[in-house]
Amino acid sequence: MVSGHAVFSSLDDLSQQLLTEAGKAGEMVVDLKELSDCDSAFVALLTACLQIKKQQQQTLVLSNSPHRLLAMLDVYRLANSGLQVN
């Protein structure tokens, strides 16, 4: 679960945690219900996680995605990149 602000200035610990999780075998589900803010740096982090999961032939699922993130995924044309968004 990701909570709070996922913006450039606060991504150090979160990026390490998510990239470690992405490296593990199996489907990766990221619950964003408690996410209050995000920016393009967070989108880039999710894209890196997606690339890792694709290399493993696994999936990355974003659960409870806020509208702001969905809008950014559309802007960056990532909505059809293999991310599963619930």
Side-chain angles (χ1 to χ4, degrees):
M1 178 181 283
V2 175
S3 62
H5 299 285
V7 295
F8 179 76
S9 61
S10 64
L11 281 182
D12 288 340
D13 292 336
L14 179 60
S15 62
Q16 186 175 35
Q17 181 183 18
L18 287 180
L19 292 171
T20 298
E21 287 300 314
K24 296 178 182 177
E27 179 181 74
M28 180 177 176
V29 179
V30 180
D31 187 350
L32 301 169
K33 184 177 182 180
E34 300 294 322
L35 183 67
S36 59
D37 192 18
C38 61
D39 64 7
S40 60
F42 182 63
V43 174
L45 173 57
L46 291 175
T47 303
C49 291
L50 176 62
Q51 290 175 343
I52 293 168
K53 297 316 291 178
K54 281 185 172 183
Q55 288 174 352
Q56 298 171 350
Q57 298 181 338
Q58 298 293 318
T59 56
L60 172 59
V61 179
L62 303 179
S63 176
N64 300 306
S65 301
H67 294 288
R68 178 176 169 88
L69 177 61
L70 296 175
M72 282 192 286
L73 293 176
D74 281 341
V75 166
Y76 294 117
R77 300 184 190 267
L78 295 171
N80 297 318
S81 64
L83 283 171
Q84 294 183 14
V85 182
N86 298 341

